[in-house]
Amino acid sequence: MSLKPFVVALESDDLAMLDKLVADGRAKEREWLEQARRRAGVRSLRGSALSQARARIRTEFAELRERGKLAGTRDLVVSREVRAELKRRKMTEEYEPVPAEDARAPGRRVGTGPRHYRQFGDEATAFDARMAVRLPFSLGEQLVRATYWTSAPAVEALRAWHDLCSDGQEVMRQEAQRRGGATLLDLLCAGFARRPSADEVLNKAELQQQVVTTGDIFRAAVKRAIL
């Protein structure tokens, strides 16, 4: 099966709970295999009879994994919950491929900066762990396309917002600091920059909430798995 790899930022506690869930699932798989081998009497079989019994066990094992009854790997657990999360969000329709220029674009999409990841008010969410996971290729492609096209209207509106409201004073100061320190000219330019109105700031926040990333889906999927 062709697989699509991802690396996802998430909270370390969630990753630890997911890994424990996977370990429990792996133990259940081992127990099922031992019972299946006993039922088939593989210890007393030889030759073609043994090969056939092992083939039947492998087939049944694969079917149980496919149906989600057994899940002893991180990939299996997360794939199952990603499917459920896409279904819950009604993101299972057929989408066009992501345009090549956007698929190759580096960095975050518009609207997915730090303020996109606030849990409660101004409290930032600490995504201090990284999870490597592989989805079946068709599911991974569905995830990428669905998040891109679902977010596209909000992303375009945010681009228009930035064109209208510029970067604002705070962003100009931060950019100057990243260049090695704000000069007097930088501070003067920032001081005279147009301030977005309260309504414009609220509109930007609302648009940011409409942007859905692959990471958002993965993190929701992990939460579903560990609850």
Side-chain angles (χ1 to χ4, degrees), residues 83-166:
R83 284 192 185 92
E85 186 64 19
L86 289 175
K87 184 176 181 181
R88 187 185 72 80
R89 294 181 185 233
K90 298 180 172 59
M91 297 170 69
T92 56
E93 64 183 84
E94 188 171 333
Y95 296 92
E96 293 292 323
V98 175
E101 62 272 19
D102 288 340
R104 294 193 298 265
R108 295 189 179 112
R109 291 191 75 184
V110 173
T112 58
R115 288 188 179 275
H116 180 70
Y117 303 110
R118 303 289 188 189
Q119 280 190 322
F120 308 104
D122 289 331
E123 181 183 340
T125 303
F127 296 140
D128 50 357
R130 296 295 180 271
M131 174 182 73
V133 65
R134 300 170 302 169
L135 301 184
F137 188 85
S138 60
L139 176 61
E141 189 64 15
Q142 177 72 16
L143 171 63
V144 170
R145 294 185 186 190
T147 52
Y148 177 88
W149 290 111
T150 298
S151 303
V155 169
E156 288 305 309
L158 283 165
R159 289 191 176 119
W161 190 98
H162 283 291
D163 289 342
L164 175 65
C165 299
S166 185

Side-chain angles (χ1 to χ4, degrees), residues 17-33:
M17 293 175 68
L18 175 65
D19 286 343
K20 182 181 184 304
L21 179 70
V22 171
D24 291 344
R26 190 176 302 118
K28 290 178 181 177
E29 286 189 342
R30 287 196 297 266
E31 181 181 356
W32 184 91
L33 285 168

